[in-house]
Amino acid sequence: MNIFRLAGDMTHLFSVLVLLLKIHTIKSCAGVSLKTQELYALVFAARYLDIFTNYISLYNTVMKLIFLGSSFSIVWYMRYHKIVRRSYDKDQDTFRHYFLILPCLLLALLINEKFTFKEVMWTFSLYLEAVAILPQLVLLQRTRNIDNLTGQYVFLLGAYRALYILNWVYRYFTEPHFVHWITWVSGLVQTLLYADFFYYYFQSWKNNQKLHLPA
Amino acid sequence: ADIITEHDEL
């Protein structure tokens, strides 16, 4: 494992911790898209089908369990926790996420490395992860006062994707036969979706102003 | 192992 991959995983882990911190201690999920969180839960469920059959390392298994557990518990908090769910901006979070799931599934059935159930589900999870942030970005645009934790959560998620790209570049030059077009293209698409957000995030940081995305 | 389908990333 190289430094970019480790940094990427840690950034991903921090993003989840920031979100759980907000939900668990402040008992608020204001500005957080349940649609995006449900998509992430689906992404991890589809991708980690091999969790008990394909052992890679203890690190890998533990991280998979953390991402599965955290994504499903965030969804549970936002849907069912009697205090947290009151702060959910239901009327603003209107992105129809079902419209993302079906095209991703069709694309995974058409474009994959191997036509097996696990491989198609794995590919589906990559395509879905690439677009899963969209409901969250739409909600951020509609939110007048984006609080710091929500802004940091999205920033950390974007940073995780950027670090994964550096990891792929590194692996491409250091490992023989390391070519994963599906992973790379969907990962690149995913990272590009954050470009706009990054621009405004750094502007607000530079000018010491509250983060605000123009509609 | 099969290089194409080995998924060692998260």
Side-chain angles (χ1 to χ4, degrees):
Chain A
M1 182 156 61
N2 61 67
I3 188 73
F4 303 112
R5 158 83 195 278
L6 183 66
D9 285 349
M10 289 305 115
T11 320
H12 192 188
L13 189 64
F14 280 133
S15 75
V16 174
L17 289 179
V18 164
L19 190 54
L20 275 172
L21 180 85
K22 175 180 156 91
I23 289 175
H24 196 83
T25 61
I26 309 172
K27 295 279 186 285
S28 163
C29 63
V32 179
S33 166
L34 177 61
K35 306 292 176 74
T36 284
Q37 296 307 318
E38 287 177 342
L39 290 177
Y40 280 139
L42 184 58
V43 162
F44 294 131
R47 185 174 307 168
Y48 299 156
L49 286 172
D50 65 350
I51 186 165
F52 297 116
T53 53
N54 183 25
Y55 182 80
I56 291 170
S57 64
L58 182 65
Y59 170 84
N60 222 280
T61 306
V62 170
M63 291 294 271
K64 284 176 178 176
L65 287 171
I66 292 175
F67 288 135
L68 275 170
S70 58
S71 61
F72 277 91
S73 58
I74 289 166
V75 169
W76 181 85
Y77 264 112
M78 292 184 71
R79 274 173 167 248
Y80 305 115
H81 190 280
K82 63 180 191 295
I83 299 169
V84 174
R85 70 174 192 189
R86 275 189 233 143
S87 56
Y88 171 47
D89 307 320
K90 197 175 185 218
D91 302 332
Q92 300 285 320
D93 191 23
T94 55
F95 198 102
R96 286 200 278 283
H97 60 336
Y98 295 108
F99 287 170
L100 294 176
I101 299 172
L102 200 62
C104 287
L105 193 59
L106 285 175
L107 196 63
L109 286 167
L110 292 172
I111 304 172
N112 52 62
E113 287 185 357
K114 207 162 70 176
F115 196 72
T116 61
F117 177 69
K118 259 178 20 183
E119 191 63 22
V120 169
M121 291 308 278
W122 181 82
T123 314
F124 164 64
S125 82
L126 286 180
Y127 296 151
L128 192 61
E129 188 190 355
V131 292
I133 195 66
L134 286 174
Q136 180 64 66
L137 292 175
V138 169
L139 181 58
L140 279 188
Q141 268 190 345
R142 292 175 177 171
T143 309
R144 280 202 177 278
N145 288 309
I146 304 169
D147 63 85
N148 286 336
L149 286 177
T150 309
Q152 275 151 15
Y153 167 67
V154 178
F155 171 75
L156 287 167
L157 270 181
Y160 141 63
R161 295 316 311 180
L163 286 162
Y164 252 67
I165 288 179
L166 294 179
N167 153 57
W168 294 330
V169 172
Y170 181 87
R171 291 188 75 172
Y172 180 78
F173 287 110
T174 53
E175 290 176 34
H177 317 296
F178 189 74
V179 180
H180 291 289
W181 286 112
I182 292 176
T183 316
W184 294 349
V185 172
S186 49
L188 197 63
V189 168
Q190 181 173 183
T191 314
L192 287 174
L193 292 180
Y194 288 91
D196 197 52
F197 171 82
F198 274 138
Y199 175 78
Y200 293 107
Y201 187 86
F202 282 119
Q203 284 238 314
S204 76
W205 184 62
K206 199 177 75 185
N207 303 327
N208 220 350
Q209 286 169 340
K210 253 193 138 24
L211 179 61
H212 174 78
L213 303 187
Chain B
D2 187 349
I3 292 164
I4 297 286
T5 53
E6 193 177 44
H7 307 310
D8 60 356
E9 290 177 346
L10 293 163

